[in-house]
Amino acid sequence: RGSGAQQSATVANPVPGANPDLLPHFLVEPEDVYIVKNKPVLLVCKAVPATQIFFKCNGEWVRQVDHVIERSTDGSSGLPTMEVRINVSRQQVEKVFGLEEYWCQCVAWSSSGTTKSQKAYIRIAYLRKNFEQEPLAKEVSLEQGIVLPCRPPEGIPPAEVEWLRNEDLVDPSLDPNVYITREHSLVVRQARLADTANYTCVAKNIVARRRSASAAVIVYVDGSWSPWSKWSACGLDCTHWRSRECSDPAPRNGGEECQGADLDTRNCTTDLCVHTASGPEDVALYVGLIAVAVCLVLLLLVLILVYCRKKEGLDSDVADSSILTSGFQPVSIKPSKADNPHLLTIQPDLSTTTTTYQGSLCPRQDGPSPKFQLTNGHLLSPLGGGRHTLHHSSPTSEAEEFVSRLSTQNYFRSLPRGTSNMTYGTFNFLGGRLMIPNTGISLLIPPDAIPRGKIYEIYLTLHKPEDVRLPLAGCQTLLSPIVSCGPPGVLLTRPVILAMDHCGEPSPDSWSLRLKKQSCEGSWEDVLHLGEEAPSHLYYCQLEASACYVFTEQLGRFALVGEALSVAAAKRLKLLLFAPVACTSLEYNIRVYCLHDTHDALKEVVQLEKQLGGQLIQEPRVLHFKDSYHNLRLSIHDVPSSLWQSKLLVSYQEIPFYHIWNGTQQYLHCTFTLERVSPSTSDLACKLWVWQVEGDGQSFNINFNITKDTRFAELLALESEGGVPALVGPSAFKIPFLIRQKIISSLDPPCNRGADWRTLAQKLHLDSHLSFFASKPSPTAMILNLWEARHFPNGNLSQLAAAVAGLGQPDAGLFTVSEAEC
């Protein structure tokens, strides 16, 4: 309603035949007002002539005993005057909070009829603690523009914003170089050295005053040379010189130093300069230099000879080089039958040693060429003749080195600094798998997805939503984690499969689901509309109840976004209750987290609570949060007053609908603070309710001992996800390589009896994707790849064997390997 609720005009209802001049008219009408904390507000009405005045609030009459009435006579007209007051408490407003706004109006009577006053709206004033967007530190050059964004916390009435520069108020009326936008951003038109300072955004209303984190702005100056000095007089060595200084201006606040020399020398007499004969000292110097040069030449010849002999020894026995023993060890895979002793030995193709990639690799902004020569560097380096080690895991030291290398490229500067949410490995045509433990996020690289002869170093990263600016329009909401796999632009000949959790309740009638991908320029694009995929599309998605599997031949940054088509659209929220492991004071805090029902969100909260010293005190619950624009409410009940006292001043707490539905805010929670009456109190029994207004809800019955009860701690023991985060070659797959090849060669050709890949897809409940599988060179390979992505590491290989055997193929021994094939 803008600044306030729209006021209702005064309405008169005259009695038929009565004098309209004697209808009541208001001298004072009730006005909009805010309730601050727990203080009641006063509403006043005054009318003349009036025999009775009563208040009506939200359509119901206020009791007569709650009115304070003063009667008097108007001095000029002699007509009766009445003034009425009532108090409105916070509890009265909270009873209808969320359903409609609380309003009151007066109704005055006289012998000629009744008159209604305008409506006055009563609202509970508040100001949240956390800013929706805080200013960030910046380093800018002199005379460059500065924009510091600030989105104040949600509040009623809306917060006013002011800016502080080193704790001094920024007044645009006194400084024409700065101004504050309607969105509360601070803009400095041209940066000056005096603008180097700490900037703080301050939001305030009638309830509270909040300060954002300070943002340090540094205005730097790059150095520049002063003019050259005059040439000096010609010296005895027949040269003269001139100098300059890096002082026009001098570098300041971390600016770049001047490039080039500060001293310039030149011959000043050309051929006319006469040199004296060399003395004994000069002869000794020349002899010493010649001796050093001879020694260096001899040393170089020895090194070349040693290198050539080592190279000959390496070439004569390439089978024993570490590229086979260290990078791709022969893998022994037991066949499905116990009586078959044969082993599968798979060796890589090392025929190609140099590679030039011509694809659409995203170029750096300071380099115009889109083509990259893949040299023998660490990133994307092909196998050479030397000794290499392929990474099977991501130790901390190697991961930090990898992140530091990636940070030198513009596209990767937003990768996380830590290594707990990132993994990487080096892969060739045999493929492999990357996993971020305990997040449900993995990347399957099938065999032959990487062209033979090429080696790629591939990474997989989980981003925090607040670190990646994902624009959401309308009713869109983030349903999955934001995941990067790369480097982007590498050449793939088969789709890889990116697996990640989602928190949507999939229903074609309730959701419109889209896969978003970030381009090289940083903008987000819809690359796939689920349910409207074309078979020849670059992307495809298998959506399941709590996970999605994305087929893609282009690596990059992805996220699954949903747009509600009806109020029945719901997101799964996981509710977690944490409290301190040790309570050393009388106060005891219960933290209630409301997060996406995904493994990565659970992992983040568990890690946070470990740092805070918290423990789980109830079994987690799932709540279905609908797109109804209603907030989430939390309340605590039945606290034994003889042992505990609740410090909550209101009957419930709320998390705004948008904060949850947007999906980009982590760690959403409310805290209930209880205080023990006695330090010896250790037993706590109460109820905690969490519900969406007019929607789903959950109730927790808390009954435990705060000093020794740890029975819920094992519920959050993080499960292992199949060993190391990076698996290379056949060890990354459940299906042995040669068995996989036999299945593909047997089921890819069409069969009149239906014993081909189509029947296999039906047995695995994947028949809705037949058109996609059929668009690929090997449909069976796509089916097996998806099976690997869905069932690793705990998949039941015997069930797959039974499905294949049930196709009635003449070759019933698809899951056996002969000695000749080994």
Side-chain angles (χ1 to χ4, degrees), residues 53-370:
I53 297 179
F54 285 100
F55 272 91
K56 178 185 285 188
C57 294
N58 281 70
E60 296 183 2
W61 294 105
V62 178
R63 297 184 305 170
Q64 185 173 3
V65 296
D66 294 332
H67 292 74
V68 178
I69 302 173
E70 291 185 9
R71 299 179 185 272
S72 61
T73 302
D74 184 69
S76 58
S77 63
L79 296 174
T81 303
M82 180 177 288
E83 182 176 321
V84 178
R85 301 182 182 88
I86 65 168
N87 285 318
V88 179
S89 67
R90 184 187 185 105
Q91 288 73 20
Q92 292 174 263
V93 177
E94 285 180 339
K95 287 181 180 179
V96 299
F97 186 73
L99 302 176
E100 58 178 323
E101 291 194 278
Y102 193 91
W103 56 266
C104 294
Q105 69 177 161
C106 305
V107 181
W109 280 266
S110 71
S111 58
S112 298
T114 62
T115 304
K116 295 181 181 179
S117 72
Q118 66 183 12
K119 288 182 179 179
Y121 287 85
I122 299 94
R123 300 179 179 87
I124 298 175
Y126 67 91
L127 185 62
R128 304 287 187 198
K129 290 185 178 180
N130 298 325
F131 280 72
E132 295 186 2
Q133 184 179 13
E134 293 186 296
L136 300 177
K138 291 181 179 290
E139 293 185 6
V140 298
S141 61
L142 194 66
E143 297 184 353
Q144 182 181 342
I146 304 173
V147 179
L148 295 177
C150 175
R151 291 167 57 193
E154 179 186 355
I156 294 179
E160 298 178 356
V161 172
E162 61 186 20
W163 284 85
L164 301 179
R165 180 196 288 131
N166 289 341
E167 302 303 320
D168 294 330
L169 181 66
V170 176
D171 189 353
S173 63
L174 301 179
D175 187 354
N177 193 42
V178 300
Y179 67 92
I180 300 175
T181 67
R182 292 183 178 180
E183 293 77 24
H184 311 299
S185 298
L186 179 66
V187 178
V188 180
R189 292 183 172 89
Q190 290 185 322
R192 305 157 297 189
L193 288 175
D195 294 320
T196 298
N198 291 320
Y199 290 83
T200 307
C201 181
V202 179
K204 60 182 180 179
N205 64 6
I206 59 177
V207 179
R209 186 173 186 265
R210 312 288 189 205
R211 291 167 56 99
S212 72
S214 295
V217 174
I218 299 176
V219 181
Y220 61 86
V221 179
D222 293 333
S224 182
W225 290 112
S226 65
W228 287 102
S229 66
K230 294 182 178 180
W231 288 100
S232 67
C234 192
L236 296 177
D237 57 352
C238 299
T239 61
H240 62 173
W241 54 269
R242 61 177 181 174
S243 64
R244 58 180 179 175
E245 295 180 350
C246 187
S247 60
D248 190 22
R252 298 185 62 175
N253 296 340
E256 293 185 0
E257 296 287 340
C258 301
Q259 303 296 318
D262 60 352
L263 186 66
D264 184 22
T265 60
R266 187 180 299 174
N267 190 303
C268 54
T269 58
T270 63
D271 296 334
L272 300 179
C273 183
V274 180
H275 294 275
T276 59
S278 300
E281 299 83 357
D282 295 335
V283 174
L285 175 63
Y286 296 149
V287 172
L289 291 175
I290 293 173
V292 171
V294 172
C295 292
L296 291 176
V297 171
L298 292 175
L299 179 61
L300 181 61
L301 292 175
V302 172
L303 292 176
I304 293 174
L305 181 62
V306 171
Y307 174 78
C308 292
R309 288 185 177 180
K310 285 188 176 182
K311 186 174 187 303
E312 291 174 358
L314 178 64
D315 292 339
S316 63
D317 191 14
V318 69
D320 293 333
S321 67
S322 63
I323 190 62
L324 296 180
T325 60
S326 171
F328 295 98
Q329 299 180 6
V331 180
S332 298
I333 302 177
K334 295 183 179 180
S336 57
K337 295 185 179 179
D339 57 351
N340 192 343
H342 302 301
L343 302 179
L344 297 181
T345 303
I346 302 174
Q347 295 183 349
D349 181 3
L350 304 179
S351 59
T352 307
T353 58
T354 58
T355 301
T356 301
Y357 175 59
Q358 305 282 346
S360 58
L361 184 63
C362 301
R364 290 183 49 153
Q365 296 176 359
D366 55 354
S369 174

Side-chain angles (χ1 to χ4, degrees), residues 352-355 374-377 379-384 388 453-455:
T352 307
T353 58
T354 58
T355 301
L374 300 188
T375 64
N376 289 331
L379 185 65
L380 297 178
S381 58
L383 278 176
H388 298 260
K454 292 188 179 181
I455 299 293

